[in-house]
Amino acid sequence: MKAVIVAGGRGVRMGPLVNEIPKPMIEIGGIPVIEHQIKNLIECGIKEIIITTNYLGEVIKSYIGNGERFGAEIKYLEEKKPLGTAGGIKGLPTDLKEDFIVIYGDILLSIDFQKFIEFHKKNKAFVSLIVHPSNHPYDSDLVLVDRNNKIKGFKNKPHLPETFYNNLGNAGIYILNPGVLDYISSDEKMDFTKDIFPKLIEDKKDLYAYNTPEYIQDMGTLERLESVRKDFESRKVERFNLKNKRIAIFLDRDGVINYDYGNIHKKENFKLLPGVIEAIKKINSSEYLAIVITNQPVIAKGLCNFEELEEIHKKMETLLGNENAKLDKIYFCPHHPERGFEGEVIELKIKCDCRKPEIGMILNAKSDFNIDLKKSFIIGDSERDILAGFKSGLNPILVKKNVEEFSDIKEVKERFKKCEDLSNAVKFIIEGK
Ligand SMILES: [Zn+2]
């Protein structure tokens, strides 16, 4: 697969830093950001790269050259005038027959591109976008997906108060079918998320969202540049690459994140417990991923459908997002084993391998995020969570005041940590107290 780096932007918000060099030439750790990108692509076996240039394009060209010194083949495509994020690729060679990668030139990243390509192929997608939860979703452009990661639409800022959304921001990295070029006009300024992708969805093309916890940050403002530089120095950029193991805190939902009123099946009944926002923010600023795994038999029982459960999860993500807290992923089990409820959904009334204490959700997360389970935790309020923890090799923590009422499995009883609530459990994990 070939890659295109869109490097024509002016970067007006960067002030005098871009008087003599274009934005992609700004250095991070002594190396221009575009060179970091090229090296990341090459590491993943992507060695044919096209760079689109406009503002001070000569500076890029003379520094990067034809790619020989990197062991790659690099070509250039010059935009005659700035044409937005999409317009610049209109002039790509018409013999481009295969799907190709597009990256914006002002992003510092370290990702496993082959995993992204696998995802794209597995879904037979026309276009795939990399997305990630943002810690400021309220002022970000968001991507709307269904539970199979298929993109339903885009929700650009500003967001109306009192509306709920998935917290998935567009990271600015795509795999495109060459057919996308037909949607781009050659003399108009065009943007992928505003002009091209919504049109593709209208035309019933399949767009998919690939959610990865890897490091991908744009440095479009001086403030962001400074934080990207800090992350690079602390080696966070490299450490978060999926080729490296990550650690995680798995969170049960009802009774840990929100009040458990029993069988929560409408968003009006979803209310965060005190201290949860701060606890999740604490996880977010640590090395741990925050991953929800929740049994939701309300679907099998026919109390709500998948869309209504999604609404509840959107409310959870929005309430957290409004306060700069995020969940890296939510896994749920819609099944339930015993039949005999009025209105139940027969095909979901099965004994599955995802309903805790089974560990299907944990194993999916392990494979999606390359998680080291032995160094990770599960925080739950029921015996099922604790047993799932033991079965999978996670360290379980029980948050419930009265342990006696349910834990009758003697050998397990004394072997796990008990904390009063989520904030105490997170404090114990991260601060050791
Ligand atoms: Zn299940």
Side-chain angles (χ1 to χ4, degrees), residues 134-140 167 217 224 321 324:
S134 158
N135 56 9
H136 51 93
Y138 46 82
D139 63 3
S140 303
N167 179 354
Q217 273 308 312
R224 279 190 218 154
N324 306 96

Side-chain angles (χ1 to χ4, degrees), residues 332-336 350 352-355:
F332 65 87
C333 161
H335 309 108
H336 191 254
I350 54 166
C352 62
D353 59 8
C354 46
R355 180 173 163 81

Side-chain angles (χ1 to χ4, degrees), residues 142-393:
L142 301 170
V143 182
L144 308 174
V145 297
D146 70 11
R147 65 181 185 281
N148 301 314
N149 303 309
K150 191 167 170 181
I151 298 175
K152 297 190 290 190
F154 295 86
K155 201 167 179 306
N156 293 329
K157 62 193 175 191
H159 306 295
L160 297 168
E162 303 303 316
T163 56
F164 301 131
Y165 43 76
N166 311 115
N167 179 354
L168 284 180
N170 175 10
I173 302 169
Y174 315 128
I175 298 177
L176 306 181
N177 178 291
V180 171
L181 298 175
D182 299 339
Y183 287 79
I184 303 174
S185 130
S186 50
D187 52 1
E188 252 176 285
K189 221 172 171 165
M190 284 187 127
D191 184 76
F192 281 112
T193 51
K194 289 188 182 73
D195 309 305
I196 313 289
F197 296 154
K199 190 86 189 32
L200 293 174
I201 291 176
E202 254 176 63
D203 285 357
K204 307 263 183 276
K205 304 285 188 200
D206 291 337
L207 277 68
Y208 279 84
Y210 174 70
N211 181 3
T212 172
E214 292 168 300
Y215 192 90
I216 305 168
Q217 273 308 312
D218 78 85
M219 29 157 246
T221 64
L222 292 171
E223 202 185 359
R224 279 190 218 154
L225 175 62
E226 194 186 326
S227 102
V228 164
R229 280 183 167 151
K230 269 192 199 134
D231 292 339
F232 184 81
E233 275 155 31
S234 72
R235 305 178 70 86
K236 193 172 174 182
V237 180
E238 186 192 333
R239 228 170 34 243
F240 284 7
N241 189 299
L242 273 180
K243 69 181 182 214
N244 300 316
K245 287 241 181 289
R246 295 289 306 269
I247 48 177
I249 299 177
F250 288 89
L251 305 166
D252 175 38
R253 198 192 79 182
D254 304 328
V256 174
I257 292 178
N258 54 289
Y259 286 94
D260 186 0
Y261 302 119
N263 286 330
I264 291 176
H265 62 279
K266 49 183 184 184
K267 61 176 185 265
E268 290 72 22
N269 291 351
F270 183 93
K271 226 181 127 200
L272 292 177
L273 283 158
V276 163
I277 290 168
E278 287 310 314
I280 292 178
K281 277 168 81 166
K282 194 176 270 182
I283 301 176
N284 295 155
S285 57
S286 76
E287 295 286 306
Y288 291 93
L289 296 163
I291 296 174
V292 169
I293 48 169
T294 173
N295 289 350
Q296 288 303 327
V298 283
I299 296 195
K301 289 177 182 174
L303 294 168
C304 71
N305 59 28
F306 283 104
E307 284 68 36
E308 286 162 322
L309 180 65
E310 273 168 33
E311 286 303 312
I312 294 171
H313 287 166
K314 281 184 199 165
K315 180 171 181 184
M316 170 163 69
E317 290 201 272
T318 308
L319 294 177
L320 293 170
N322 285 345
E323 307 292 334
N324 306 96
K326 63 172 185 179
L327 298 168
D328 291 286
K329 182 100 179 195
I330 302 165
Y331 296 88
F332 65 87
C333 161
H335 309 108
H336 191 254
E338 298 110 40
R339 293 194 179 180
F341 293 80
E342 203 179 323
E344 67 188 14
V345 182
I346 297 290
E347 65 272 22
L348 296 175
K349 283 293 196 171
I350 54 166
K351 200 177 168 329
C352 62
D353 59 8
C354 46
R355 180 173 163 81
K356 294 174 285 185
E358 298 306 321
I359 61 171
M361 292 188 280
I362 296 171
L363 295 181
N364 283 342
K366 180 188 179 208
S367 126
D368 292 347
F369 294 93
N370 195 12
I371 294 170
D372 184 342
L373 296 180
K374 284 203 167 58
K375 291 186 183 158
S376 299
F377 292 82
I378 180 169
I379 303 174
D381 71 335
S382 82
E383 197 167 338
R384 283 191 201 98
D385 301 310
I386 304 304
L387 289 173
F390 281 123
K391 265 193 189 178
S392 59

